[in-house]
Amino acid sequence: MRSRRTTLAVPASNPRFIEKAQGLAADEIFLDLEDAVAPAAKEEARKNVVAALTEGDWGGKVRVVRVNDLETHWAYRDVIEVVEGAGAHLDCLMLPKVQDPSHVQWLDRLLTQIERAMGHEVGRIGIEAQIEDARGMVAIDAIAASSPRLETLVFGPGDFMASINMRTLVVGEQPPGYTEGDAYHYILMRILMAARAHDLQAIDGPYFNVRDVEAFRRVAERSAALGFDGKWVLHPSQVEAGNEVFSPSQDDYDHAELILDAYEHATTVERRGAAMLGDEMIDEASRKMALVIAAKGRAAGLSRTKAFEAPSS
């Protein structure tokens, strides 16, 4: 899976921001044709996207474009112009306001038609589905199973909060008066369960108070602890914190790799189904848990600092 610890939103109508984003350390950049672009600027923004994807230096980042939702008259032209103009340089399209599996299937079919017409590999371009309202949440299991192109489920908190009449004006913060627990816990867990049931990544939405990095870190740690793969970032100041929060610590990464080595030694050399790693008993469940942490560490570019030593017989 692609690393998406941080997914940086960049207005497609601002060439200066697009150029700056190429040098930032975010794992994914998505060029936004939807909310960040005024209606009068959308056609020009498409041209900016094509130029940026074909001429820019993205340094291995995941390259994504968020199109307008399919209830608008911009959506189909977004897809056609971007994919025909820069499909070979595009990793995914993000579809906002997904309420039903047919939304994702519409995009899948249109992508297939364009890929065949242009001679591109069919199915290479992935889809990120943004869940932004109550209808999308209720249908999330069907949405998660809607297309083999689907790579991620993305939480869109602003529109979602409005759709359920949540009493707050700060996107990503707890609503005033909600003092028992976390108002977002069910929402995040629902997205996470649907994603994991269908081998998708789960991405948390943005935190709008971009100058308060500590507050961003606090809310990012919540979703990272649950098991989310990453979070939207809206400002360069959030990128470093996001990458750190969604990467395992060096100690945890080393521990995970040691568990994998110890378990492989136990099952292949000693032919036992369980083993000891120091004072810790490990088994198949331990291996599965360690695989998650090890994969995240490798994707984050961590290197081992501890080597496994087989126990003496």
Side-chain angles (χ1 to χ4, degrees), residues 231-272:
K231 186 172 178 65
W232 273 22
V233 289
L234 300 177
H235 191 272
S237 65
Q238 297 177 330
V239 172
E240 182 179 358
N243 284 343
E244 180 182 336
V245 167
F246 286 96
S247 299
S249 68
Q250 184 66 53
D251 285 345
D252 284 348
Y253 172 65
D254 282 334
H255 189 196
E257 294 284 15
L258 290 173
I259 288 174
L260 295 177
D261 289 346
Y263 187 73
E264 182 177 5
H265 178 82
T267 55
T268 60
V269 178
E270 300 176 351
R271 298 189 177 184
R272 294 187 290 113

Side-chain angles (χ1 to χ4, degrees), residues 79-80 83-84 87-88 90-93 107-127 149:
V79 178
I80 292 170
V83 179
E84 287 189 349
L90 178 69
D91 294 310
C92 293
L93 288 179
L107 180 55
D108 187 336
R109 292 190 183 102
L110 183 53
L111 280 170
T112 297
Q113 291 172 344
I114 299 169
E115 288 167 338
R116 286 175 176 162
M118 298 296 294
H120 297 321
E121 177 186 349
V122 174
R124 187 192 64 79
I125 298 172
I127 296 174
R149 292 183 187 265

Side-chain angles (χ1 to χ4, degrees), residues 95-168:
L95 186 63
K97 299 177 176 61
V98 175
Q99 299 178 326
D100 183 89
S102 64
H103 292 195
V104 177
Q105 291 159 356
W106 168 86
L107 180 55
D108 187 336
R109 292 190 183 102
L110 183 53
L111 280 170
T112 297
Q113 291 172 344
I114 299 169
E115 288 167 338
R116 286 175 176 162
M118 298 296 294
H120 297 321
E121 177 186 349
V122 174
R124 187 192 64 79
I125 298 172
I127 296 174
E128 300 188 359
Q130 194 173 5
I131 306 301
E132 298 192 75
D133 65 9
R135 285 185 59 190
M137 187 64 70
V138 169
I140 195 167
D141 291 310
I143 290 169
S146 61
S147 167
R149 292 183 187 265
L150 200 59
E151 296 189 13
T152 73
L153 298 176
V154 184
F155 179 38
D159 284 279
F160 191 92
M161 291 152 63
S163 83
I164 63 172
N165 293 346
M166 186 178 282
R167 289 175 20 175
T168 181

